[in-house]
Amino acid sequence: MKINAENKHFQDLNNEVRFAEDTEITIENCMGQRYIGSGMSGKHLTINGIPGNDLGSYLNGGTIRVNGNAQDATGDTMNEGEIIIDGNSGDATGYAMRGGKIFVRRNAGYRAGIHMKAYQTHHPLLIIGGEAGSFLGEYQAGGTIIVLGLDSDKKAPVGSLCGTGMHGGRIYLRGEELPPDLPKQVQAAPATPEDMAKIDGWLDEFCGIFGVDKKEVLSKNFFVLSPNTKNPYKSLYTFN
C-alpha cells in the first residue's frame, strides 16, 4: 500500500496508517508530519521524505524505515520493534525508550538516549553510526547505546558531558580516546573481549542493514561507559 503524504495533515496521514488493512505501507513525499507510526504494532512502514517529531513514539512492534533524515524524539517511549534511519536523526533520539531497537546510519543530535530504561524483559538498543551530540545517555537507567563515529575524524565521537546522570545501562564509544569531560557519575574503560561479545550480534545487524564493512567497524578501539558505583548519581528530586 502506498500513501502520498504531500500536503496531507498529520492527523489524516496517521489515521490512514493506523486503520490500513495492509501490513506493508510506503509513505511517499513525507513533509514533516509528526507522530507517524505512533503506537503501531505488526506493520512495516517505509517513509520516503522527512517525517516530523515523535516518529514511532510508543511503538509496540513492527518496523519503520526512513530513507532520509528524521527529526526530534524518534522512538519516544517505544517498547518493541525497530526504527531504521538511513540519514541523520534529530535531538532526543530514543527518548525514554523501554525496548526495541533504533539504528541511525549517520549522526544524532543532543540528548540521544535520554531516560532510556530497560522495561521488564525488554532491552532497548540505540546504535548511531556517525557522531552523537552533547548529553548522550543523559539519565540513562538501562539498555545499551553504541556510537561508532564512522566517517568522522574526531578522536571521540560524542559531544560534551556524555552520560550525565547515568545510573544504569552501558554506552559503547568507538574511537581513539575518551571525551575529556565525562561526569563523575560515569566510569570508563577500554572494552574487553567479553564486552565486545555482548554487542557482536548487534553490530552484525547494523552492518547488514546499512551495508557497512564490519572489519572497518572493528578497526578502532571501543570504550565502555557505565555508572560509577563509587560516585553514584543522586536524584535531583526529594520525596516526602
Side-chain angles (χ1 to χ4, degrees), residues 196-209:
M196 296 303 297
K198 292 177 181 178
I199 66 170
D200 187 66
W202 294 330
L203 295 179
D204 283 339
E205 287 187 68
F206 178 90
C207 292
I209 289 169

Side-chain angles (χ1 to χ4, degrees), residues 18-52:
R18 184 174 295 114
F19 298 115
E21 293 184 1
D22 290 356
T23 57
E24 301 284 342
I25 302 170
T26 299
I27 297 175
E28 302 284 1
N29 303 310
C30 194
M31 304 175 67
Q33 291 94 337
R34 58 191 187 273
Y35 304 124
I36 296 175
S38 179
M40 187 181 78
S41 63
K43 294 180 179 178
H44 305 283
L45 189 59
T46 300
I47 301 174
N48 296 316
I50 300 177

Side-chain angles (χ1 to χ4, degrees), residues 158-179:
V158 294
S160 59
L161 299 172
C162 175
T164 295
M166 184 184 193
H167 52 288
R170 284 186 157 201
I171 298 174
Y172 287 74
L173 302 178
R174 172 183 174 272
E176 296 179 20
E177 60 185 41
L178 286 165

Side-chain angles (χ1 to χ4, degrees), residues 222-234:
F222 281 74
F223 296 93
V224 181
L225 279 57
S226 58
N228 186 352
T229 57
K230 294 182 180 179
N231 192 13
Y233 162 74
K234 297 178 181 178

Side-chain angles (χ1 to χ4, degrees), residues 41-126:
S41 63
K43 294 180 179 178
H44 305 283
L45 189 59
T46 300
I47 301 174
N48 296 316
I50 300 177
N53 294 347
D54 286 283
L55 171 72
S57 59
Y58 299 95
L59 186 69
N60 280 311
T63 59
I64 299 174
R65 182 156 191 165
V66 180
N67 295 319
N69 300 325
Q71 296 190 40
D72 298 343
T74 291
D76 181 352
T77 323
M78 69 183 286
N79 297 304
E80 292 183 274
E82 289 187 0
I83 300 177
I84 299 167
I85 310 297
D86 279 289
N88 302 304
S89 190
D91 298 333
T93 298
Y95 176 87
M97 65 185 296
R98 300 295 189 255
K101 300 173 183 178
I102 300 177
F103 300 96
V104 180
R105 173 58 185 89
R106 302 204 181 279
N107 304 326
Y110 73 92
R111 289 191 161 92
I114 180 174
H115 291 300
M116 177 188 283
K117 179 181 179 180
Y119 178 68
Q120 295 182 348
T121 59
H122 298 172
H123 185 98
L125 170 69
L126 170 61

